[in-house]
Amino acid sequence: MQILELAVYSHDGRIRRLVFKPGALNVITGGSKTGKSAIQQIVEYCLGTGTCEVPAGVIWRSSSWYALLLQFECTRVFVARKHPESGLKSSAAVHLEIGGDIGVLSFEALRGNSTPEQAVEQLSRLLGINPNLNAPSTSTRPPMEANLKHARLLLFQSQSEIASQKFLFHRQGEPFIPQWIKGTLPYFLGAVPEDLLARQRELKIARDAHRNAFRALEDAKAVAGHGFERAFVLLAEAEDAGLLAQDTDTKTPQQALVRLRSVATWRMNELPAATNARAAELWNEIAQLRAQADQLNDELKAAKRLAGEVGGFGHEVAEHRARLVPLGLVSHDSTDGTQCPICLSNLAEPIPTVVEMRRSLDRVARQLQAVKTERPRLAEVIERMQSELTALGSQINEGRRAYESAAAQQLEFASAAEADNRRAHVVGRISLYLESLPSATGTDLVQLERNVTAAAERVAALEQWFEELDLGGRLDSAANLISRSMSRYANQLEMEWKDRPLRLDLKKLTVTADHPSDPVTMDRMGSAENWLACHLIAHLALHEYFVSANRPVPRFLMFDQPTQVYYPPEKDADGSLAGLDNEDQQAVQRIFQLLIEFVELLTPNFQIIVTDHADLSDERFQSTIVERWRGDTKLIPLDWPVNSE
């Protein structure tokens, strides 16, 4: 995700548009009070932040909407957010549109078809942020799922932050923000596998299955051994109620079960009319719950089949993409379709153009990304359905107990007219007993033991996967690669601490210059020049890692006034460095040289936007200037209407 345009809408429908170059350094240079610092605040507001931090004054009173035109790998997104109404700090009105050729919309087209929360969710999906959950080690912090609102904290360095002594990240000094950064950085760095959440759910399901299998086996063993006393008691009650004839030959548990099941079959087919009203009502409720459970079980089986089909479809799409990838060997205009695009021999039948095949490759890539995104969500659906099925089972058991309690009140019938009620009571008790009774034949016991063994093996395999995962090691590996880049950038800036190994401390959220006897953190380094260098090298190294590891983080950085350490506003006349001593001029030139080389290294996959006073005469710097705001040229045109509020 990079920014193509930023737009501000006036109250009478006029639009102020800033056009940015993707994959490049973009500089807006100008004097004080021209609106440079508001650029970051507008971008953050459009990306769903809670409040609009645009400064009070001309910009606040002249604007009706703010908007961004964003470029993703395969599409564009236009997102606009309404300026807060009078007395408020934010607006819930968001206009969101997605399309490959979409542009900045007119004022009349803005209608507010979304909300900030929905926009954050949609942009997170487009970035490729898959379902994830970070469970902190401390029980006092709830699990956290990373999305765009957390990634935003890695994109901005405001004027007050760019050379901060204490805080390295955007809004780090605000409550809860450090926990957000620490909690989501492992995911954004790729230390947390994409399928971790699915594996956690799978382990929970496997442990539940093992527990249930073990309980079923124990129940079956109890019944097979000495759990039939109740069966003979119920058999005697059935004979006393006239449901069965007296049979002194019934001596084994198996014979008793056969006779009880014959009574249960009759009971299930026909509920006696004289059964008391409460028992009948409870029985009907149990029947309804069983029907719901049967339907949900069918849906669960269908969802599991669908999950398997989605996996198969993803495999097929991946193979299709692999077949199309070699198109990179063929130029766009190498053939008109009548010649082979590789050997240029004449063909009897025309072939599809390379452009068409490339479109097919792009379409297949999007399908593959969709499969990767949706598979974890299918796992969520399956887990939810399994939870609902378990809950229904609990309700059925509770209904059975209530039925048995209601039927127990009918134990004493005074006349023959109540005989059917008594039989219904006995049959109900027998049915409940038989339904709670696991099969206890030798063959079934063997199968139950196999079920326990298989479930235990599945749990062990998943637990081993987590043991071997080594999240700490993966995070340390990412931190080491980032530290290596930080040291390289420190040398380019000729930073004072460049001779020491520099690292990003992910626990303290700071930069540390290591030494065996005295590791020095950023806040102890002294001088704003060192603090500025720490911010630059840490954020550049982080984003170099995000790009190289293809992590779902927006591909841009915004720096406001990075040269303020050397170039205070009071020295600004026309942006020239003439007022600075030679050493400070060289330091400013090294900063912009580093930024230019950084985007060139990652082109076309990264964009930097800088707002600053400096206007270097260097030709390479001049080529990066997007706009120059001096004199009457500012973010907000002078002739825009201004609200009096």
Side-chain angles (χ1 to χ4, degrees):
M1 185 176 88
Q2 298 185 47
I3 302 174
L4 297 181
E5 291 192 46
L6 179 149
V8 182
Y9 294 78
S10 71
H11 294 291
D12 61 1
R14 281 178 279 181
I15 308 176
R16 173 71 161 99
R17 299 169 66 170
L18 300 180
V19 179
F20 298 105
K21 294 172 287 187
L25 173 63
N26 297 259
V27 176
I28 297 177
T29 180
S32 300
K33 300 179 181 179
T34 56
K36 298 190 305 298
S37 295
I39 299 300
Q40 282 194 22
Q41 294 151 349
I42 290 173
V43 172
E44 193 171 7
Y45 183 60
C46 289
L47 294 181
T49 190
T51 59
C52 181
E53 300 296 337
V54 171
V58 173
I59 303 175
W60 184 273
R61 292 185 288 119
S62 302
S63 306
S64 61
W65 285 79
Y66 308 101
L68 297 176
L69 181 62
L70 305 171
Q71 178 68 57
F72 286 81
E73 183 177 9
C74 299
T75 191
R76 287 183 177 184
V77 174
F78 174 81
V79 55
R81 191 169 180 187
K82 189 174 178 60
H83 180 81
E85 299 292 341
S86 177
L88 301 179
K89 289 290 289 180
S90 67
S91 171
V94 172
H95 188 104
L96 184 70
E97 290 202 18
I98 303 173
D101 56 353
I102 197 171
V104 173
L105 300 184
S106 66
F107 176 76
E108 292 74 19
L110 302 179
R111 62 183 184 278
N113 60 3
S114 186
T115 67
E117 293 76 17
Q118 291 170 346
V120 166
E121 181 178 358
Q122 185 65 48
L123 293 173
S124 297
R125 283 176 176 267
L126 289 172
L127 278 168
I129 298 178
N130 291 325
N132 62 90
L133 198 67
N134 174 59
S137 56
T138 59
S139 59
T140 57
R141 286 165 48 200
M144 184 182 307
E145 184 168 8
N147 58 30
L148 177 61
K149 74 177 182 180
H150 305 104
R152 286 196 310 254
L153 302 172
L154 310 174
L155 308 179
F156 304 101
Q157 288 283 281
S158 68
Q159 182 176 359
S160 62
E161 295 168 336
I162 189 70
S164 170
Q165 176 183 6
K166 295 176 60 178
F167 303 120
L168 181 63
F169 291 96
H170 182 50
R171 298 174 55 195
Q172 186 179 337
E174 299 179 19
F176 307 112
I177 298 298
Q179 287 79 9
W180 283 14
I181 298 172
K182 294 175 186 178
T184 58
L185 255 180
Y187 171 78
F188 289 126
L189 290 171
V192 177
E194 294 293 327
D195 62 344
L196 179 63
L197 183 58
R199 291 273 188 166
Q200 289 172 335
R201 291 173 176 150
E202 193 175 354
L203 178 59
K204 178 181 179 298
I205 293 171
R207 284 172 172 166
D208 290 342
H210 177 256
R211 185 164 50 252
N212 293 336
F214 183 78
R215 185 182 299 118
L217 176 61
E218 292 300 305
D219 290 345
K221 287 180 177 178
V223 169
H226 51 76
F228 279 101
E229 292 85 352
R230 191 180 176 201
F232 285 102
V233 171
L234 290 172
L235 188 60
E237 291 183 10
E239 291 175 345
D240 290 342
L243 290 165
L244 291 170
Q246 296 286 341
D247 186 355
T248 56
D249 293 333
T250 304
K251 298 178 180 179
T252 67
Q254 286 74 18
Q255 291 172 337
L257 287 178
V258 169
R259 299 189 68 201
L260 288 176
R261 288 191 178 105
S262 68
V263 175
T265 302
W266 172 85
R267 172 63 183 85
M268 292 295 292
N269 290 333
E270 181 181 357
L271 183 65
T275 303
N276 70 83
R278 178 55 180 159
E281 179 183 352
L282 289 170
W283 188 263
N284 290 332
E285 290 178 359
I286 292 172
Q288 292 174 5
L289 289 172
R290 284 174 180 156
Q292 294 178 26
D294 290 341
Q295 181 179 354
L296 185 58
N297 194 41
D298 290 341
E299 293 173 356
L300 178 59
K301 291 178 181 177
K304 289 181 176 179
R305 286 197 301 271
L306 178 58
E309 291 169 2
V310 168
F313 175 74
H315 179 70
E316 292 296 328
V317 171
E319 288 189 354
H320 188 37
R321 181 179 183 274
R323 291 195 295 269
L324 291 172
V325 164
L327 288 173
L329 300 173
V330 183
S331 65
H332 285 274
D333 56 356
S334 62
T335 178
D336 59 1
T338 62
Q339 290 181 311
C340 174
I342 297 177
C343 67
L344 300 182
S345 63
N346 292 327
L347 299 173
E349 295 292 336
I351 62 172
T353 65
V354 174
V355 172
E356 290 171 339
M357 289 187 284
R358 289 183 184 279
R359 289 174 182 164
S360 178
L361 177 58
D362 292 339
R363 183 170 62 257
V364 168
R366 290 193 297 272
Q367 291 173 341
L368 185 58
Q369 181 61 41
V371 169
K372 291 180 179 178
T373 301
E374 293 305 325
R375 286 194 67 185
R377 300 193 183 277
L378 269 177
E380 292 180 8
V381 173
I382 291 172
E383 183 186 7
R384 175 177 55 77
M385 295 172 72
Q386 289 172 327
S387 299
E388 292 176 2
L389 195 58
T390 301
L392 279 174
S394 299
Q395 294 179 45
I396 291 172
N397 289 334
E398 291 176 3
R400 287 171 176 167
R401 288 191 290 271
Y403 171 80
E404 187 170 359
S405 175
Q409 298 175 9
Q410 303 297 317
L411 284 175
E412 298 180 359
F413 297 112
S415 66
E418 296 176 333
D420 284 344
N421 286 343
R422 184 182 176 191
R423 292 190 184 99
H425 159 68
V426 173
V427 171
R429 283 161 50 83
I430 292 173
S431 297
L432 293 174
Y433 169 71
L434 292 174
E435 289 178 6
S436 64
L437 190 66
S439 180
T441 66
T443 302
D444 291 333
L445 284 174
V446 171
Q447 184 58 50
L448 289 172
E449 289 172 347
R450 290 174 180 169
N451 293 345
V452 172
T453 301
E457 290 175 351
R458 181 58 182 157
V459 171
L462 288 168
E463 289 177 341
Q464 183 177 1
W465 185 87
F466 279 95
E467 290 175 1
E468 296 174 352
L469 180 58
D470 189 15
L471 292 177
R474 292 164 66 102
L475 196 59
D476 289 342
S477 177
N480 289 337
L481 293 173
I482 292 169
S483 298
R484 186 184 305 172
S485 297
M486 289 172 59
S487 295
R488 187 172 74 252
Y489 298 142
N491 283 322
Q492 290 182 252
L493 291 177
E494 297 185 12
M495 183 182 175
E496 178 183 348
W497 299 88
K498 62 182 174 62
D499 293 330
R500 285 195 180 190
L502 293 160
R503 62 181 168 88
L504 177 62
D505 190 326
L506 299 177
K507 293 183 178 179
K508 297 180 180 179
L509 299 182
T510 189
V511 172
T512 298
D514 280 324
H515 189 274
S517 61
D518 183 27
V520 178
T521 53
M522 180 177 70
D523 60 323
R524 294 180 52 221
M525 288 184 183
S527 88
E529 183 176 359
N530 283 320
W531 304 330
L532 169 66
C534 286
H535 284 252
L536 291 176
I537 66 174
H539 284 83
L540 292 179
L542 259 177
H543 282 273
E544 180 185 356
Y545 182 88
F546 292 149
V547 173
S548 64
N550 196 29
R551 300 305 302 150
V553 178
R555 298 287 193 257
F556 69 85
L557 265 173
M558 299 188 74
F559 296 130
D560 186 26
Q561 313 289 351
T563 67
Q564 62 185 299
V565 172
Y566 312 98
Y567 195 81
E570 60 269 17
K571 292 187 178 183
D572 178 27
D574 57 0
S576 170
L577 301 184
L580 306 181
D581 59 43
N582 187 57
E583 185 175 343
D584 286 346
Q585 288 186 31
Q586 292 178 358
V588 171
Q589 290 171 341
R590 284 195 295 269
I591 290 174
F592 284 104
Q593 183 69 19
L594 172 60
L595 298 182
I596 291 172
E597 292 179 358
F598 182 83
V599 292
E600 288 178 347
L601 172 68
L602 300 181
T603 189
N605 296 317
F606 202 77
Q607 175 188 56
I608 296 179
I609 298 174
V610 175
T611 49
D612 206 286
H613 290 271
D615 192 349
L616 282 63
S617 59
D618 174 77
E619 182 178 347
R620 296 189 73 188
F621 178 88
Q622 289 293 313
S623 68
T624 69
I625 294 178
V626 174
E627 291 201 14
R628 186 177 280 106
W629 294 353
R630 297 191 182 277
D632 292 339
T633 304
K634 303 179 181 181
L635 174 62
I636 302 300
L638 298 179
D639 60 348
W640 273 24
V642 178
N643 278 348
S644 58
E645 297 179 0

